[in-house]
Amino acid sequence: MKISESWRLAGIISGEVRFQAFLEANPSNLARVKEDPAKISRAIKSQSRISIVMTGFILILIAVISLAASAFDNEIGSPDARLAVGFAVYLTLSFVVVFFLNLTTTSGLFSSGAMRLPSTLPLTREQVEQLNFLSFVRIFIGPVALSLILFPVGCLILFGPLVALVSLIACASTVSIAIGALIRVAKWFHKKTHQTDESRISSMVRVAASIGIVIGMISVYSLGSYMPDLMRFIINLSVDVGPGVFTILALVFPFSFGFMAASAAFGSLIPLTTILASIAGTAFYTVIAVLSFRSSGRSLRAVTLGGISTSKQGLLREVAVDIVSPLRSMVRKDLKLATRNIGSAFIFAIPIFLIIMLFPMLQYWRGPFGFLRSMSALTAIEYANLFGGISLVSILMFDTQGASVHEGLPVSSKLVLRTKTVIMIVPYIFCMLALDLVILINSPISPLLLLIPIVQMPYGYVIGMAVGGAVFKIRGGGRAVAVNVTSDQAMGFVSAFVGALIGIVPLVGYGLTILYTGSQILSLATQGLIVLVMIVASWRFIPKLLKD
Amino acid sequence: MSAVNIKNLVKSFGELVAVNDLTLDVREGEIYALLGPNGAGKTTTIKMLMGLLDPDSGNASVFGINSQENPVEVKNLVGYVPEEQQLYDSLTPRELFDFIASIRKLSQEKITKRMREFVKALDFEQYYDNMIVTLSQGNKQKTMLIAALLHRPKLLILDEPFSSLDVRSAKIMKDIVKIHAENGGSVLLSTHVMEVAEGLCDRVGIIDEGVLVAEGTLDELRTQSQREGATLEVLFLKLTEQEEEVAEGVSVLREALSD
Ligand SMILES: Nc1ncnc2c1ncn2[C@@H]1O[C@H](COP(=O)(O)OP(=O)(O)OP(=O)(O)O)[C@@H](O)[C@H]1O
Ligand SMILES: [Mg+2]
């Protein structure tokens, strides 16, 4: 088979892999693909285009910022230190970008079995391996090529050919190590998320891994703003602690490459020990990169030929049934479903999203007064209410998988609604705690402001019941239904709207009281009273809207 | 009291009348098979009986409990295996059974003992902790069947239950259905497999285009269609007026295949 032919086939396979990864990222997509496959393919095409553009954009951004800071920002430090540290910071961040932006795709790659497609074709083993390798390359080609071209070209222009050569080696090594790590972590993640022993530890690992990934992605997207600060911090470290720090850093990945580049450009400014350390480090990490490249090839081959075994071999566990109360068993089931794929685990990251969004807003609102007023706290909580509505409808998504099981079970719609509400209250309470933290660092006008989110916490129950009740009423005529927000965006909007609408009631109570009396104590009391009344009302009346 | 009572049941989807004035009974301790060509309305009938669909008119009840008014109570009494198998892909059978048994508030010791017996009989132990998505079609069906039998239901409702089972498991499941009936339980099943209906069931109801065209024991059906000693297959084709169509189809295919 000619290489051009392989390349074309690899394109088809990598398309299939992307498709499978997209499905894997969210279980409800499975239901959706049956509804309208053409629409899904379009969505995937545009999604992958967006992700390529995003990756490209982020890589350009960090390359430009780090190069500009190294070359021109005299405030940060001496030129040699700037080049060394800027270089290393770029490499670190490009590692993070390559790693996190591709983690979902890669773990989808392992679970989909799409990489096994070539082995079903009438090809020799070598051809199959070549095809697999090319498919993998095609999946990552965008970010990898960009990373290999951008930074070295920038170095060539700013610092000359010698630094450019070092940067090319450095970028290639970083990419190779990143992809090696990526394959390993994706394999591990896939195994963990699909492993089914019941130990607490393994579900903790699942949740932690999911949240870790979300945080990683968020930090990738907010990189640009803190890069110069990071460089300044590292350079100041050597000023404070002493120049020996650089020699030690020169042994550490990816600083070795940075100091190597700095030695190439400003050899006379740098102590000999540091230069020697950077040469040793560079050689060492280049060898590691080559080894990682080789072993990535091997482990890819293993994946394509054998798949990853997620079921434990050997010891069969005793057959037994573990009974808990109906409500607890539904919650337990939903949490298991939630932590078994990255898409669903996003729900637990909602408080983090909220804070990232609100932090700059609160700082802005604080601006003119120098302290935070209760109006700002109320507005922030209202955002959390809206997020609460969205998290409830996302929880309804879990059940799109198990329709056949539910059809035969004596579960009342009321019980379903209560379960989903119980789950939704957890991120809601975390949102409130997180808001308190943000309010605290933004110098609130009175410490009593911190009590507003606390009083609001139990109101998660009302929001959950109201949003769920509305969705069941609209989509199921009162029966419990599973909703797929990705395809049924109308329900996403309805949920956000109902969450915001119902959620604002106690806040309005607080706001009006403070306008008329000016007393925070009275306002808190009003808010608390409304919360109580609404809880009782939704406990009593919302189940009446439902039907079995 | 009959186990199932369906009276003048009607359900249309737009123009299409899927179930048309259907009336039938399943007696206690009886195995009743619902036969009919694809799209006849079997699944639609069963769904209304389970309270999953509201009928346009008419009534369906299980042991006197109205399916539309009190579906949760109906589901308490019934073990149901639906036609489509959408299980929780990322759970294991263990987790699924824990969930179902908890919802049904069964006693831990008793159910563990029963579960061990099922697992042994159906040769299921090695799949007990594998994610459902990795199970074969037949093992998924076993999962559903075990789930339906867990709470010793008085009535089993099975929509095409044996379609993907291997020989051993199909035999065991048929025996389970028989034992269930011998112990006084009732069964309503829909099937395309004539041997199943012939060998297993006490009575058969044949529906076509939503209408019950014939009902009774095999012997009663033979007399009704004036065909002595006919197999159920022949009777079925006659009663659903498909005999000629089949002959025609075969001759067309014979030509097509002989080229
Ligand atoms: N939700 C629905 N919307 C529109 N039409 C439907 C719906 N459900 C069923 N139908 C139609 O009703 C008719 C009866 O369907 P049903 O599923 O009851 O048939 P069946 O006897 O179970 O067939 P099979 O043997 O293929 O399972 C079919 O023509 C089907 O297309
Ligand atoms: Mg059917």
Side-chain angles (χ1 to χ4, degrees), chain B residues 13 16 18-19 36-45 53 83 159-160 190 192 207:
Chain B
F13 296 108
L16 177 89
V19 174
N38 292 134
K42 304 180 295 287
T43 301
T44 309
T45 307
L53 266 179
E83 178 178 47
D159 202 348
E160 313 265 356
S190 88
H192 290 295
I207 57 176

Short mmCIF file of all heavy atoms in Angstrom, two decimals, chain B residues 13 16 18-19 36-45 53 83 159-160 190 192 207, ligand 1:
data_model
loop_
_atom_site.label_atom_id
_atom_site.label_comp_id
_atom_site.label_asym_id
_atom_site.label_seq_id
_atom_site.Cartn_x
_atom_site.Cartn_y
_atom_site.Cartn_z
N PHE B 13 -51.63 6.16 16.58
CA PHE B 13 -50.54 7.12 16.42
C PHE B 13 -50.86 7.90 15.16
O PHE B 13 -50.66 7.42 14.06
CB PHE B 13 -49.20 6.40 16.26
CG PHE B 13 -48.81 5.60 17.48
CD1 PHE B 13 -48.87 4.22 17.45
CD2 PHE B 13 -48.40 6.23 18.64
CE1 PHE B 13 -48.49 3.48 18.56
CE2 PHE B 13 -48.03 5.49 19.74
CZ PHE B 13 -48.08 4.11 19.71
N LEU B 16 -52.53 6.13 12.02
CA LEU B 16 -52.40 4.68 12.18
C LEU B 16 -53.08 4.20 13.47
O LEU B 16 -52.78 4.68 14.55
CB LEU B 16 -50.90 4.34 12.24
CG LEU B 16 -50.58 2.87 12.48
CD1 LEU B 16 -50.49 2.13 11.17
CD2 LEU B 16 -49.31 2.73 13.28
N ALA B 18 -52.91 1.54 15.89
CA ALA B 18 -51.97 0.46 16.22
C ALA B 18 -52.67 -0.66 16.97
O ALA B 18 -52.37 -1.83 16.77
CB ALA B 18 -50.81 1.01 17.04
N VAL B 19 -53.58 -0.29 17.86
CA VAL B 19 -54.36 -1.29 18.59
C VAL B 19 -55.82 -0.91 18.44
O VAL B 19 -56.21 0.22 18.74
CB VAL B 19 -53.96 -1.33 20.08
CG1 VAL B 19 -54.86 -2.26 20.86
CG2 VAL B 19 -52.50 -1.74 20.23
N GLY B 36 -48.26 -12.33 16.23
CA GLY B 36 -48.70 -11.38 15.21
C GLY B 36 -47.52 -10.95 14.39
O GLY B 36 -46.39 -10.98 14.86
N PRO B 37 -47.78 -10.55 13.13
CA PRO B 37 -46.67 -10.10 12.27
C PRO B 37 -46.04 -8.81 12.82
O PRO B 37 -46.60 -8.19 13.71
CB PRO B 37 -47.33 -9.87 10.91
CG PRO B 37 -48.80 -9.88 11.15
CD PRO B 37 -49.07 -10.52 12.46
N ASN B 38 -44.91 -8.43 12.26
CA ASN B 38 -44.26 -7.18 12.67
C ASN B 38 -45.24 -6.02 12.53
O ASN B 38 -45.94 -5.90 11.54
CB ASN B 38 -43.03 -6.88 11.80
CG ASN B 38 -41.91 -7.88 12.04
OD1 ASN B 38 -41.33 -8.39 11.12
ND2 ASN B 38 -41.64 -8.17 13.29
N GLY B 39 -45.28 -5.19 13.55
CA GLY B 39 -46.15 -4.01 13.48
C GLY B 39 -47.60 -4.30 13.78
O GLY B 39 -48.47 -3.45 13.56
N ALA B 40 -47.90 -5.50 14.31
CA ALA B 40 -49.30 -5.86 14.56
C ALA B 40 -49.88 -5.10 15.75
O ALA B 40 -51.09 -4.92 15.84
CB ALA B 40 -49.41 -7.35 14.81
N GLY B 41 -49.03 -4.67 16.65
CA GLY B 41 -49.52 -3.95 17.81
C GLY B 41 -49.27 -4.67 19.13
O GLY B 41 -49.81 -4.29 20.16
N LYS B 42 -48.42 -5.68 19.11
CA LYS B 42 -48.15 -6.45 20.34
C LYS B 42 -47.46 -5.59 21.38
O LYS B 42 -47.90 -5.49 22.54
CB LYS B 42 -47.25 -7.66 20.02
CG LYS B 42 -47.83 -8.60 18.95
CD LYS B 42 -46.90 -9.76 18.68
CE LYS B 42 -45.57 -9.38 18.06
NZ LYS B 42 -45.61 -8.98 16.65
N THR B 43 -46.37 -4.95 20.98
CA THR B 43 -45.61 -4.14 21.93
C THR B 43 -46.45 -2.98 22.45
O THR B 43 -46.43 -2.66 23.64
CB THR B 43 -44.32 -3.62 21.27
OG1 THR B 43 -43.55 -4.76 20.85
CG2 THR B 43 -43.51 -2.79 22.22
N THR B 44 -47.22 -2.37 21.56
CA THR B 44 -48.07 -1.26 21.97
C THR B 44 -49.06 -1.71 23.04
O THR B 44 -49.26 -1.02 24.05
CB THR B 44 -48.82 -0.69 20.75
OG1 THR B 44 -47.87 -0.42 19.72
CG2 THR B 44 -49.55 0.58 21.10
N THR B 45 -49.64 -2.89 22.85
CA THR B 45 -50.58 -3.43 23.84
C THR B 45 -49.89 -3.63 25.18
O THR B 45 -50.39 -3.22 26.23
CB THR B 45 -51.12 -4.79 23.34
OG1 THR B 45 -51.66 -4.62 22.03
CG2 THR B 45 -52.19 -5.32 24.28
N LEU B 53 -47.87 3.71 28.35
CA LEU B 53 -48.55 4.49 27.31
C LEU B 53 -50.00 4.65 27.77
O LEU B 53 -50.57 3.71 28.33
CB LEU B 53 -48.59 3.70 26.00
CG LEU B 53 -47.52 3.88 24.94
CD1 LEU B 53 -47.83 2.94 23.77
CD2 LEU B 53 -47.45 5.30 24.47
N GLU B 83 -39.03 -5.20 24.93
CA GLU B 83 -38.48 -5.66 23.67
C GLU B 83 -37.08 -5.10 23.43
O GLU B 83 -36.16 -5.82 23.07
CB GLU B 83 -39.44 -5.19 22.58
CG GLU B 83 -39.08 -5.50 21.18
CD GLU B 83 -40.20 -5.00 20.26
OE1 GLU B 83 -40.66 -3.85 20.42
OE2 GLU B 83 -40.62 -5.77 19.39
N ASP B 159 -41.64 -9.48 26.31
CA ASP B 159 -41.81 -9.07 24.92
C ASP B 159 -40.62 -9.64 24.13
O ASP B 159 -39.51 -9.14 24.24
CB ASP B 159 -41.85 -7.54 24.85
CG ASP B 159 -42.52 -7.05 23.58
OD1 ASP B 159 -42.74 -7.87 22.67
OD2 ASP B 159 -42.83 -5.84 23.51
N GLU B 160 -40.87 -10.67 23.37
CA GLU B 160 -39.80 -11.35 22.59
C GLU B 160 -38.63 -11.74 23.47
O GLU B 160 -37.52 -11.28 23.27
CB GLU B 160 -39.25 -10.42 21.51
CG GLU B 160 -40.28 -9.72 20.71
CD GLU B 160 -40.60 -10.46 19.42
OE1 GLU B 160 -39.94 -11.48 19.16
OE2 GLU B 160 -41.50 -10.04 18.73
N SER B 190 -44.94 -12.19 24.12
CA SER B 190 -45.13 -12.04 22.69
C SER B 190 -43.95 -12.72 22.03
O SER B 190 -42.84 -12.71 22.55
CB SER B 190 -45.14 -10.57 22.32
OG SER B 190 -43.84 -10.10 22.07
N HIS B 192 -42.29 -14.47 18.05
CA HIS B 192 -42.40 -14.83 16.63
C HIS B 192 -42.09 -16.31 16.46
O HIS B 192 -42.24 -16.84 15.38
CB HIS B 192 -41.38 -14.06 15.80
CG HIS B 192 -41.68 -12.62 15.70
ND1 HIS B 192 -42.80 -12.15 15.05
CD2 HIS B 192 -41.03 -11.54 16.15
CE1 HIS B 192 -42.80 -10.84 15.11
NE2 HIS B 192 -41.76 -10.44 15.79
N ILE B 207 -52.86 -11.43 16.81
CA ILE B 207 -53.36 -10.11 16.41
C ILE B 207 -52.71 -9.68 15.11
O ILE B 207 -51.56 -10.02 14.80
CB ILE B 207 -53.17 -9.02 17.49
CG1 ILE B 207 -51.71 -8.87 17.90
CG2 ILE B 207 -54.01 -9.27 18.68
CD1 ILE B 207 -51.55 -7.71 18.88
N1 LIG C 1 -44.48 5.90 19.27
C1 LIG C 1 -45.01 5.55 18.09
N2 LIG C 1 -45.30 6.51 17.18
C2 LIG C 1 -45.84 6.18 15.99
N3 LIG C 1 -46.13 4.94 15.62
C3 LIG C 1 -45.86 3.93 16.47
C4 LIG C 1 -45.29 4.19 17.75
N4 LIG C 1 -45.13 3.01 18.40
C5 LIG C 1 -45.59 2.07 17.55
N5 LIG C 1 -46.03 2.61 16.39
C6 LIG C 1 -46.62 1.89 15.27
O1 LIG C 1 -47.65 1.06 15.78
C7 LIG C 1 -47.68 -0.17 15.10
C8 LIG C 1 -47.64 -1.31 16.09
O2 LIG C 1 -46.34 -1.35 16.66
P1 LIG C 1 -45.88 -2.42 17.72
O3 LIG C 1 -44.53 -2.04 18.17
O4 LIG C 1 -46.92 -2.56 18.75
O5 LIG C 1 -45.80 -3.76 16.84
P2 LIG C 1 -45.34 -5.20 17.27
O6 LIG C 1 -46.52 -6.10 17.08
O7 LIG C 1 -44.72 -5.21 18.60
O8 LIG C 1 -44.28 -5.54 16.15
P3 LIG C 1 -42.90 -6.37 16.24
O9 LIG C 1 -43.26 -7.80 16.08
O10 LIG C 1 -42.11 -5.88 15.08
O11 LIG C 1 -42.27 -6.07 17.55
C9 LIG C 1 -46.52 -0.16 14.13
O12 LIG C 1 -47.01 0.13 12.84
C10 LIG C 1 -45.62 0.94 14.62
O13 LIG C 1 -44.96 1.54 13.57
#
